[in-house]
C-alpha cells in the first residue's frame, strides 16, 4: 500500500535487565547521543527503573514506555501495574502482548486486547506485539497466525494515533536470526491489508519489526517499505548499538 513514510520509531525493550546504576548510565548515554538522530526514540525499562530513567530523559525528546500493564484499573491485583500508573510516571507508551509474556504468563489475544484497551484509556500508545513461532512458519502458517493475532489483540478503539503494531517472529527474538527482507515485507504487507479491512486510517499505523535487530542488519531492515521502525531487545542495552540502529532510520 502506498503511504507517506512516517518518521521511524526505534523502541528499546530492556526486558528484565538493569539495576538503578546501570539503568541510569544507559539512559544518560542514550540521551547524550540522541541529538540529531533521525527517528523517534523510546525506551522501555523494567518497571523498577521507570522513575529513574524517566528523570534521566526528562525534558528530552526520548519517550518512556512500560513493558506491560494490567487490563484493569487500580485495585486488588498484587504485583501488577495499572496503565494509569505508567502514565503517572511519564510513560507515553506501553508494550503489550510481547511473546515472552504470551509464553511466560499465558497471555491470550483477548488478554492482550484488554491490556491494550486499558493503555489507550489511560492515554498511552499501545505497542501490540505479535508473531509466529518457528513451527508455525515451517507449516506455512505465518500470515494466518499474525492475522489472527492482529484481529484478536487490537482493541476496538485502536487507531493510527494510539496504536503501534510490532511484528516479532518468536524464533527471531534473541536468537541472532532474522527473516529475509522478503519475508518481513510479506508479513507487513499482510498486516497492512488486514488493518485496512478494519480501520480507515490503516495506512498511518506504524508497523515495527522486532527480532535480533542489530547495527549490522538495521540498515537493510529499516530501508524496507512498510517497516516504520524497530522494537529492539538485546541491542537496546548498549547505547551505542541502540543509537547506531536509530541512525539508519533516515526517511
Ligand atoms: C524483543 O524482545 O522485543 C526483541 C526484539 O529482542 P531481541 O532484539 O533481543 O531479539
Amino acid at each position: 500500500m502506498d503511504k507517506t513514510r512516517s518518521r521511524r520509531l526505534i523502541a528499546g525493550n530492556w526486558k528484565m535487565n538493569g539495576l538503578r546504576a546501570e539503568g541510569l548510565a544507559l539512559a544518560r548515554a542514550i540521551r547524550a547521543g540522541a541529538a540529531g538522530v533521525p527517528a523517534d526514540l523510546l525506551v522501555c525499562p523494567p518497571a523498577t527503573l521507570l522513575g529513574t530513567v524517566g528523570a534521566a530523559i526528562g525534558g528530552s525528546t526520548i519517550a518512556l514506555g512500560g513493558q506491560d500493564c494490567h487490563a484493569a484499573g487500580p485495585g486488588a491485583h498484587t504485583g501488577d501495574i495499572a496503565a494509569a500508573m505508567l502514565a503517572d510516571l511519564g510513560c507515553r507508551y506501553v508494550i503489550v502482548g510481547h511473546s515472552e509474556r504470551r509464553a511466560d504468563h499465558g497471555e491470550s489475544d483477548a488478554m492482550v486486547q484488554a491490556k491494550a484497551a486499558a493503555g489507550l484509556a489511560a492515554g498511552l500508545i499501545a505497542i501490540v506485539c505479535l508473531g509466529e513461532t518457528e513451527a508455525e512458519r515451517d507449516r506455512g502458517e505465518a500470515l494466518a497466525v499474525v492475522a489472527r493475532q492482529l484481529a484478536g489483540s487490537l482493541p476496538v478503539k485502536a487507531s493510527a494515533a494510539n496504536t503501534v503494531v510490532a511484528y516479532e517472529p518468536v524464533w527471531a527474538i534473541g536468537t541472532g536470526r532474522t527473516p529475509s527482507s522478503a519475508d518481513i515485507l510479506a508479513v507487513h504487507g499482510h498486516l497492512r491489508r488486514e488493518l485496512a479491512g478494519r480501520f480507515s486510517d490503516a495506512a498511518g499505523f506504524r508497523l515495527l519489526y522486532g527480532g535480533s535487530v542489530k547495527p549490522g542488519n538495521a540498515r537493510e531492515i529499516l530501508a524496507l517499505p512498510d517497516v516504520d521502525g524497530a522494537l529492539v531487545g538485546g541491542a537496546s542495552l548498549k547505547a551505542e548499538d541502540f543509537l547506531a540502529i536509530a541512525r539508519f532510520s533516515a526517511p
Side-chain angles (χ1 to χ4, degrees):
M1 178 181 293
D2 280 345
K3 70 187 195 77
T4 308
R5 194 143 190 164
S6 59
R7 193 170 151 93
R8 314 292 208 297
L9 173 65
I10 307 298
N13 173 13
W14 295 7
K15 310 194 187 193
M16 197 171 70
N17 290 295
L19 302 180
R20 277 180 301 166
E22 295 157 342
L24 187 58
L26 179 55
R28 283 180 175 160
I30 292 171
R31 179 178 186 149
V37 168
D40 293 337
L41 297 180
L42 164 65
V43 292
C44 300
T48 50
L49 293 183
L50 283 169
T52 303
V53 171
I57 61 173
S60 77
T61 56
I62 304 167
L64 185 69
Q67 296 178 11
D68 178 50
C69 67
H70 197 279
H77 299 286
T78 303
D80 278 310
I81 299 172
M85 295 170 175
L86 297 177
D88 185 50
L89 273 172
C91 289
R92 287 180 46 211
Y93 291 82
V94 61
I95 298 170
V96 293
H98 191 282
S99 63
E100 286 155 11
R101 291 208 60 88
R102 289 178 186 260
D104 294 355
H105 301 274
E107 291 188 6
S108 64
D109 289 336
M111 291 163 73
V112 174
Q113 184 183 48
K115 287 176 178 231
L120 303 196
L124 300 173
I125 298 172
I127 300 181
V128 179
C129 301
L130 42 79
E132 82 286 358
T133 63
E134 185 157 34
E136 288 165 340
R137 174 156 287 273
D138 289 347
R139 291 197 298 268
E141 296 171 3
L143 297 185
V145 167
V146 297
R148 188 184 69 231
Q149 291 176 327
L150 186 78
S153 304
L154 255 53
V156 176
K157 291 188 176 163
S159 73
N162 64 23
T163 303
V164 173
V165 176
Y167 168 53
E168 298 207 302
V170 177
W171 53 271
I173 293 177
T175 61
R177 299 163 59 206
T178 54
S180 67
S181 293
D183 285 340
I184 295 173
L185 274 181
V187 172
H188 280 222
H190 193 62
L191 291 171
R192 188 77 66 190
R193 285 188 293 277
E194 293 292 313
L195 287 169
R198 191 167 154 196
F199 301 101
S200 58
D201 59 355
F205 275 73
R206 273 171 159 167
L207 298 183
L208 309 187
Y209 168 76
S212 295
V213 176
K214 312 274 180 218
N217 58 25
R219 183 195 297 273
E220 180 175 343
I221 291 170
L222 290 168
L224 295 172
D226 236 358
V227 172
D228 303 307
L231 183 51
V232 185
S236 73
L237 296 173
K238 282 191 182 162
E240 63 270 33
D241 286 359
F242 184 62
L243 292 166
I245 291 167
R247 287 193 198 96
F248 288 124
S249 302

